[in-house]
Amino acid sequence: MFIQIRIPHITTNVVVKRTPRRLISYSRCHAFPKVLADEEFQVKSKLQKLREQEILPFSAFLTDSFGRQHNYLRISVTERCNLRCTYCMPEEGVPLTPTSKLLSEAEIVRVGKLFISQGVDKIRFTGGEPLIRKELPSIISQLSQLNLKSIGITTNGLLLSRYLTELLANGLTHLNISLDSLNPKLFEKISRRPSKAWFKVWEAIEMAQLSPLKELKLNVVVMKGINESELCDFVELTKERDIDIRFIEYMPFTGNKWDLSKMVPYNEMVSIIQQKYPELKKLDDSVHHTAKAYQIPGHRGKFGFITSMSEHFCGGCNRLRITADGNLKVCLFGNTEVSLRDVIRSGATDDDLLSLIGLGVKRKHAKHAGMMNLSKMENRPMILIGG
């Protein structure tokens, strides 16, 4: 539905979507009460850690009602992609937003600078496939000159060999490459694109490993009956390569036909890997971690598990998202959004924008819904959110 928000000189309609009450009731009354109790404890534990840290000056606009300070911004620069991965893109495709309704280069840079001025020191560009956006090197160049510790992209790697040198020269420091299989034929099944594309991705990975990047990660969405048999093959990559493998639990988004039977939970993945590598070692995780980190003693690289479904990490969340069409999402799984684009194009000042951003951040919940409720909630397809 639409609500009207008034800030000085600006009146804008803001899209607000709410979870149906019956789903909330289901969550409270029926969905794994012990698990939910454990999740509440985890949230409180992490929030307590945050509150016990030395309090440093930070923007009130980017601090939510639970004291979480959001210094990490993910910006989607396009809805288009040159792959059609089953977990991300609905089989029938998605209706694309007209280019005129996407944030322009100047608008992206303005929003980025505004967030940086409030304490954001880490920005990642996503899509769709961000390298399809021709202005991306210029956007990175403009923002990398500011007070950022990290500026990265998440890419499927198909175009990376062509652009990596330019991106590095313009200030790119961190890189995530999505690769869900080491088997070209299985890659074809998952991505719905010819297997020859796999070799372009692998070429890009090899090139990135030789580059001066501060960090290189591989993202692997693990799906039961499809690629969980490759877990140990990916771990083996860390033996001689300084690389970080991220195994991601299969997550429900509109149109990806998520089913609990297709999800391989974190503990099961660890068990599979432990059968081959009984010596695997758990590493320490930061308060703001998104992955539970592990390493095989003697291996150069490491690996981790993004456990959004089985063991959420909402208590330490420091992330905000801007969609390609200019909406602020304070939670990946939340279906409430605020349009920054419309306010910008109505003539808003930076102070106006900050007021609206602050309202959105203050609405952020302590944690996202449980996975069974998420599977029933209306949300964007992943490709229209940005990874």
PDB file of all heavy atoms in Angstrom, residues 27 42 55 89 96 102 191 229-230 239-240 250 260 275 311 331 376 380 385:
ATOM      1  N   SER A  27       3.709 -17.668  12.574  1.00  0.00           N
ATOM      2  CA  SER A  27       5.071 -17.644  13.096  1.00  0.00           C
ATOM      3  C   SER A  27       5.069 -17.754  14.607  1.00  0.00           C
ATOM      4  O   SER A  27       5.844 -18.483  15.194  1.00  0.00           O
ATOM      5  CB  SER A  27       5.759 -16.354  12.656  1.00  0.00           C
ATOM      6  OG  SER A  27       6.994 -16.224  13.301  1.00  0.00           O
ATOM      7  N   GLN A  42      19.909 -15.357  20.334  1.00  0.00           N
ATOM      8  CA  GLN A  42      21.029 -14.954  19.494  1.00  0.00           C
ATOM      9  C   GLN A  42      20.964 -13.469  19.178  1.00  0.00           C
ATOM     10  O   GLN A  42      21.973 -12.764  19.191  1.00  0.00           O
ATOM     11  CB  GLN A  42      21.040 -15.764  18.200  1.00  0.00           C
ATOM     12  CG  GLN A  42      21.398 -17.228  18.403  1.00  0.00           C
ATOM     13  CD  GLN A  42      21.191 -18.035  17.143  1.00  0.00           C
ATOM     14  OE1 GLN A  42      21.112 -17.485  16.062  1.00  0.00           O
ATOM     15  NE2 GLN A  42      21.095 -19.340  17.286  1.00  0.00           N
ATOM     16  N   ILE A  55      31.311   3.279  22.502  1.00  0.00           N
ATOM     17  CA  ILE A  55      30.405   4.011  21.634  1.00  0.00           C
ATOM     18  C   ILE A  55      31.169   5.120  20.918  1.00  0.00           C
ATOM     19  O   ILE A  55      31.735   6.018  21.553  1.00  0.00           O
ATOM     20  CB  ILE A  55      29.230   4.607  22.438  1.00  0.00           C
ATOM     21  CG1 ILE A  55      28.493   3.490  23.173  1.00  0.00           C
ATOM     22  CG2 ILE A  55      28.289   5.374  21.530  1.00  0.00           C
ATOM     23  CD1 ILE A  55      27.911   2.423  22.260  1.00  0.00           C
ATOM     24  N   MET A  89      16.480 -16.021 -10.788  1.00  0.00           N
ATOM     25  CA  MET A  89      15.604 -15.527 -11.851  1.00  0.00           C
ATOM     26  C   MET A  89      14.424 -16.481 -12.045  1.00  0.00           C
ATOM     27  O   MET A  89      14.620 -17.666 -12.318  1.00  0.00           O
ATOM     28  CB  MET A  89      16.394 -15.434 -13.158  1.00  0.00           C
ATOM     29  CG  MET A  89      15.556 -15.141 -14.389  1.00  0.00           C
ATOM     30  SD  MET A  89      15.117 -13.424 -14.589  1.00  0.00           S
ATOM     31  CE  MET A  89      16.640 -12.786 -15.325  1.00  0.00           C
ATOM     32  N   LEU A  96      11.197  -5.852 -16.527  1.00  0.00           N
ATOM     33  CA  LEU A  96      12.287  -4.934 -16.232  1.00  0.00           C
ATOM     34  C   LEU A  96      11.783  -3.501 -16.119  1.00  0.00           C
ATOM     35  O   LEU A  96      10.907  -3.069 -16.872  1.00  0.00           O
ATOM     36  CB  LEU A  96      13.360  -5.017 -17.318  1.00  0.00           C
ATOM     37  CG  LEU A  96      14.083  -6.368 -17.435  1.00  0.00           C
ATOM     38  CD1 LEU A  96      14.991  -6.382 -18.653  1.00  0.00           C
ATOM     39  CD2 LEU A  96      14.885  -6.664 -16.169  1.00  0.00           C
ATOM     40  N   LEU A 102      15.277   3.884 -13.515  1.00  0.00           N
ATOM     41  CA  LEU A 102      16.406   3.418 -12.715  1.00  0.00           C
ATOM     42  C   LEU A 102      17.203   4.624 -12.238  1.00  0.00           C
ATOM     43  O   LEU A 102      17.170   5.696 -12.860  1.00  0.00           O
ATOM     44  CB  LEU A 102      17.312   2.504 -13.533  1.00  0.00           C
ATOM     45  CG  LEU A 102      16.702   1.226 -14.103  1.00  0.00           C
ATOM     46  CD1 LEU A 102      17.751   0.475 -14.913  1.00  0.00           C
ATOM     47  CD2 LEU A 102      16.137   0.346 -13.001  1.00  0.00           C
ATOM     48  N   SER A 191      22.475 -22.276 -14.461  1.00  0.00           N
ATOM     49  CA  SER A 191      22.467 -20.915 -15.017  1.00  0.00           C
ATOM     50  C   SER A 191      21.566 -20.753 -16.233  1.00  0.00           C
ATOM     51  O   SER A 191      21.287 -19.627 -16.647  1.00  0.00           O
ATOM     52  CB  SER A 191      23.889 -20.496 -15.406  1.00  0.00           C
ATOM     53  OG  SER A 191      24.353 -21.267 -16.511  1.00  0.00           O
ATOM     54  N   SER A 229      27.074 -32.237  -3.557  1.00  0.00           N
ATOM     55  CA  SER A 229      28.163 -33.214  -3.682  1.00  0.00           C
ATOM     56  C   SER A 229      29.503 -32.544  -4.016  1.00  0.00           C
ATOM     57  O   SER A 229      30.555 -33.180  -3.954  1.00  0.00           O
ATOM     58  CB  SER A 229      27.824 -34.241  -4.762  1.00  0.00           C
ATOM     59  OG  SER A 229      27.708 -33.613  -6.029  1.00  0.00           O
ATOM     60  N   GLU A 230      29.472 -31.264  -4.364  1.00  0.00           N
ATOM     61  CA  GLU A 230      30.698 -30.536  -4.724  1.00  0.00           C
ATOM     62  C   GLU A 230      31.278 -29.735  -3.562  1.00  0.00           C
ATOM     63  O   GLU A 230      32.271 -29.017  -3.743  1.00  0.00           O
ATOM     64  CB  GLU A 230      30.424 -29.596  -5.904  1.00  0.00           C
ATOM     65  CG  GLU A 230      30.076 -30.308  -7.202  1.00  0.00           C
ATOM     66  CD  GLU A 230      30.025 -29.336  -8.377  1.00  0.00           C
ATOM     67  OE1 GLU A 230      31.088 -28.797  -8.747  1.00  0.00           O
ATOM     68  OE2 GLU A 230      28.925 -29.103  -8.908  1.00  0.00           O
ATOM     69  N   LYS A 239      43.176 -25.026  -0.745  1.00  0.00           N
ATOM     70  CA  LYS A 239      44.470 -25.616  -0.363  1.00  0.00           C
ATOM     71  C   LYS A 239      45.630 -24.785  -0.879  1.00  0.00           C
ATOM     72  O   LYS A 239      46.559 -24.455  -0.125  1.00  0.00           O
ATOM     73  CB  LYS A 239      44.569 -27.050  -0.878  1.00  0.00           C
ATOM     74  CG  LYS A 239      45.829 -27.771  -0.421  1.00  0.00           C
ATOM     75  CD  LYS A 239      45.812 -29.232  -0.826  1.00  0.00           C
ATOM     76  CE  LYS A 239      47.032 -29.961  -0.301  1.00  0.00           C
ATOM     77  NZ  LYS A 239      47.012 -31.408  -0.647  1.00  0.00           N
ATOM     78  N   GLU A 240      45.604 -24.436  -2.154  1.00  0.00           N
ATOM     79  CA  GLU A 240      46.706 -23.702  -2.773  1.00  0.00           C
ATOM     80  C   GLU A 240      46.328 -22.279  -3.161  1.00  0.00           C
ATOM     81  O   GLU A 240      47.167 -21.541  -3.662  1.00  0.00           O
ATOM     82  CB  GLU A 240      47.198 -24.445  -4.029  1.00  0.00           C
ATOM     83  CG  GLU A 240      47.631 -25.886  -3.791  1.00  0.00           C
ATOM     84  CD  GLU A 240      48.855 -25.985  -2.901  1.00  0.00           C
ATOM     85  OE1 GLU A 240      49.584 -24.966  -2.773  1.00  0.00           O
ATOM     86  OE2 GLU A 240      49.083 -27.070  -2.322  1.00  0.00           O
ATOM     87  N   TYR A 250      20.199 -22.055   0.480  1.00  0.00           N
ATOM     88  CA  TYR A 250      19.181 -21.727  -0.525  1.00  0.00           C
ATOM     89  C   TYR A 250      18.057 -20.942   0.151  1.00  0.00           C
ATOM     90  O   TYR A 250      17.461 -21.392   1.122  1.00  0.00           O
ATOM     91  CB  TYR A 250      18.667 -23.032  -1.124  1.00  0.00           C
ATOM     92  CG  TYR A 250      17.672 -22.914  -2.256  1.00  0.00           C
ATOM     93  CD1 TYR A 250      17.673 -21.843  -3.129  1.00  0.00           C
ATOM     94  CD2 TYR A 250      16.725 -23.921  -2.456  1.00  0.00           C
ATOM     95  CE1 TYR A 250      16.762 -21.772  -4.179  1.00  0.00           C
ATOM     96  CE2 TYR A 250      15.818 -23.866  -3.493  1.00  0.00           C
ATOM     97  CZ  TYR A 250      15.834 -22.782  -4.348  1.00  0.00           C
ATOM     98  OH  TYR A 250      14.930 -22.711  -5.375  1.00  0.00           O
ATOM     99  N   LEU A 260      11.672 -26.389   1.187  1.00  0.00           N
ATOM    100  CA  LEU A 260      12.526 -26.793   2.296  1.00  0.00           C
ATOM    101  C   LEU A 260      13.364 -28.020   1.949  1.00  0.00           C
ATOM    102  O   LEU A 260      14.514 -28.150   2.385  1.00  0.00           O
ATOM    103  CB  LEU A 260      11.662 -27.068   3.533  1.00  0.00           C
ATOM    104  CG  LEU A 260      12.404 -27.482   4.805  1.00  0.00           C
ATOM    105  CD1 LEU A 260      13.386 -26.393   5.246  1.00  0.00           C
ATOM    106  CD2 LEU A 260      11.408 -27.787   5.926  1.00  0.00           C
ATOM    107  N   GLN A 275      33.535 -35.112   6.972  1.00  0.00           N
ATOM    108  CA  GLN A 275      33.816 -36.508   6.641  1.00  0.00           C
ATOM    109  C   GLN A 275      35.123 -36.636   5.880  1.00  0.00           C
ATOM    110  O   GLN A 275      35.871 -37.599   6.051  1.00  0.00           O
ATOM    111  CB  GLN A 275      32.663 -37.087   5.835  1.00  0.00           C
ATOM    112  CG  GLN A 275      31.389 -37.274   6.648  1.00  0.00           C
ATOM    113  CD  GLN A 275      30.245 -37.793   5.808  1.00  0.00           C
ATOM    114  OE1 GLN A 275      30.452 -38.489   4.816  1.00  0.00           O
ATOM    115  NE2 GLN A 275      29.012 -37.458   6.195  1.00  0.00           N
ATOM    116  N   GLU A 311      20.333 -20.397  10.863  1.00  0.00           N
ATOM    117  CA  GLU A 311      20.860 -19.664  12.020  1.00  0.00           C
ATOM    118  C   GLU A 311      21.102 -18.221  11.600  1.00  0.00           C
ATOM    119  O   GLU A 311      22.212 -17.859  11.199  1.00  0.00           O
ATOM    120  CB  GLU A 311      22.157 -20.284  12.548  1.00  0.00           C
ATOM    121  CG  GLU A 311      22.000 -21.670  13.149  1.00  0.00           C
ATOM    122  CD  GLU A 311      23.292 -22.173  13.769  1.00  0.00           C
ATOM    123  OE1 GLU A 311      24.161 -21.331  14.120  1.00  0.00           O
ATOM    124  OE2 GLU A 311      23.442 -23.404  13.897  1.00  0.00           O
ATOM    125  N   CYS A 331      16.211  -4.530   4.970  1.00  0.00           N
ATOM    126  CA  CYS A 331      16.443  -5.959   5.198  1.00  0.00           C
ATOM    127  C   CYS A 331      16.259  -6.700   3.882  1.00  0.00           C
ATOM    128  O   CYS A 331      15.300  -6.435   3.147  1.00  0.00           O
ATOM    129  CB  CYS A 331      15.466  -6.495   6.243  1.00  0.00           C
ATOM    130  SG  CYS A 331      15.569  -8.295   6.501  1.00  0.00           S
ATOM    131  N   LYS A 376       6.371 -17.795   2.204  1.00  0.00           N
ATOM    132  CA  LYS A 376       4.999 -17.424   1.870  1.00  0.00           C
ATOM    133  C   LYS A 376       4.825 -15.922   1.696  1.00  0.00           C
ATOM    134  O   LYS A 376       3.763 -15.468   1.273  1.00  0.00           O
ATOM    135  CB  LYS A 376       4.055 -17.922   2.969  1.00  0.00           C
ATOM    136  CG  LYS A 376       4.089 -19.423   3.173  1.00  0.00           C
ATOM    137  CD  LYS A 376       3.297 -19.843   4.406  1.00  0.00           C
ATOM    138  CE  LYS A 376       3.447 -21.319   4.701  1.00  0.00           C
ATOM    139  NZ  LYS A 376       2.743 -21.712   5.952  1.00  0.00           N
ATOM    140  N   ARG A 380      10.467  -9.218  -3.658  1.00  0.00           N
ATOM    141  CA  ARG A 380      10.977  -9.187  -5.031  1.00  0.00           C
ATOM    142  C   ARG A 380      11.728 -10.484  -5.348  1.00  0.00           C
ATOM    143  O   ARG A 380      12.289 -11.117  -4.446  1.00  0.00           O
ATOM    144  CB  ARG A 380      11.966  -8.037  -5.205  1.00  0.00           C
ATOM    145  CG  ARG A 380      11.402  -6.643  -5.077  1.00  0.00           C
ATOM    146  CD  ARG A 380      12.526  -5.643  -5.247  1.00  0.00           C
ATOM    147  NE  ARG A 380      12.067  -4.274  -5.108  1.00  0.00           N
ATOM    148  CZ  ARG A 380      12.332  -3.295  -5.980  1.00  0.00           C
ATOM    149  NH1 ARG A 380      13.054  -3.548  -7.052  1.00  0.00           N
ATOM    150  NH2 ARG A 380      11.903  -2.080  -5.777  1.00  0.00           N
ATOM    151  N   ILE A 385      16.411  -7.362  -6.427  1.00  0.00           N
ATOM    152  CA  ILE A 385      16.871  -6.792  -5.164  1.00  0.00           C
ATOM    153  C   ILE A 385      18.340  -6.412  -5.268  1.00  0.00           C
ATOM    154  O   ILE A 385      18.748  -5.283  -4.973  1.00  0.00           O
ATOM    155  CB  ILE A 385      16.677  -7.781  -3.994  1.00  0.00           C
ATOM    156  CG1 ILE A 385      15.190  -8.096  -3.796  1.00  0.00           C
ATOM    157  CG2 ILE A 385      17.268  -7.207  -2.703  1.00  0.00           C
ATOM    158  CD1 ILE A 385      14.940  -9.158  -2.745  1.00  0.00           C
TER     159      ILE A 385
END
